[in-house]
Amino acid sequence: MRRGVRLGVDVGSVRIGVARSDPSGLLATPVETVRRGKGDLDRLAALAAEHEAIEVVVGLPTTLSGRESHAASAARDFAARLSVRLAPVEVRLYDERLTTVTATQGLRSSGVKARNQRDIIDQAAAVVLLQAALDTERSTGRPPGHPLDPPPGGETRGGTAR
């Protein structure tokens, strides 16, 4: 298992849940919920720098059959822009099947009321996503998911991938 903090990012249309691992890569914990829109990439870059992340794992929405869901292209686009912003920190895509469902069930069983769940559900989904990625790396000895392809044409922060 590689040493170093990883961030888990659960991208939604309104909010982005963020989780982090401990430096040994054993346990994922919630960090915060970032509002989607202007400044979201800057905030994620600040969190990556603050926690000295060695990589960021972004959830890739898939269906139960393993096909990419309708939200997958939006997640891929966001991950690509994040990758450009965070370089040289690697951004990887990881199957996030059922993370929000698992997070919601866990919060409900712990007594958190639905109306109070929105912000923490995104963080909890990021925790579920990151913990699954950590467990996969621990069991396989390989980094989880798939690395992003480099941006076409070597785009930089000033390029179209911003």
Side-chain angles (χ1 to χ4, degrees):
M1 184 84 176
R2 300 169 298 151
R3 285 201 51 80
V5 172
R6 285 93 161 156
L7 291 185
V9 176
D10 182 64
V11 182
S13 59
V14 177
R15 292 173 303 279
I16 302 165
V18 182
R20 67 164 287 207
S21 74
D22 62 294
S24 65
L26 289 176
L27 186 63
T29 57
V31 173
E32 71 177 70
T33 301
V34 175
R35 192 67 141 166
R36 184 84 189 264
K38 184 178 171 123
D40 54 4
L41 294 176
D42 291 335
R43 181 61 189 143
L44 292 172
L47 289 170
E50 176 185 333
H51 295 288
E52 299 177 351
I54 63 165
E55 80 184 3
V56 175
V57 178
V58 176
L60 182 64
T62 55
T63 64
L64 290 176
S65 67
R67 294 191 181 118
E68 290 190 7
S69 76
H70 64 281
S73 65
R76 281 186 183 280
D77 178 58
F78 186 86
R81 289 184 290 120
L82 183 62
S83 178
V84 169
R85 180 70 174 83
L86 294 181
V89 174
E90 186 173 43
V91 174
R92 300 183 69 83
L93 293 168
Y94 189 79
D95 179 353
E96 71 166 29
R97 233 173 301 187
L98 300 177
T99 55
T100 302
V101 172
T102 302
T104 302
Q105 289 172 341
L107 289 170
R108 190 173 297 133
S109 69
S110 68
V112 177
K113 301 236 183 271
R115 69 176 178 269
N116 300 330
Q117 287 183 4
R118 285 197 173 131
D119 282 350
I120 59 172
I121 224 166
D122 298 307
Q123 292 175 43
V127 167
V128 171
L129 164 75
L130 183 56
Q131 190 64 57
L134 295 170
D135 293 346
T136 295
E137 181 170 344
R138 199 170 20 268
S139 68
T140 66
R142 288 175 287 153
H146 304 283
L148 280 173
D149 294 329
E155 293 171 1
T156 63
R157 283 181 54 191
T160 58
R162 186 175 187 161

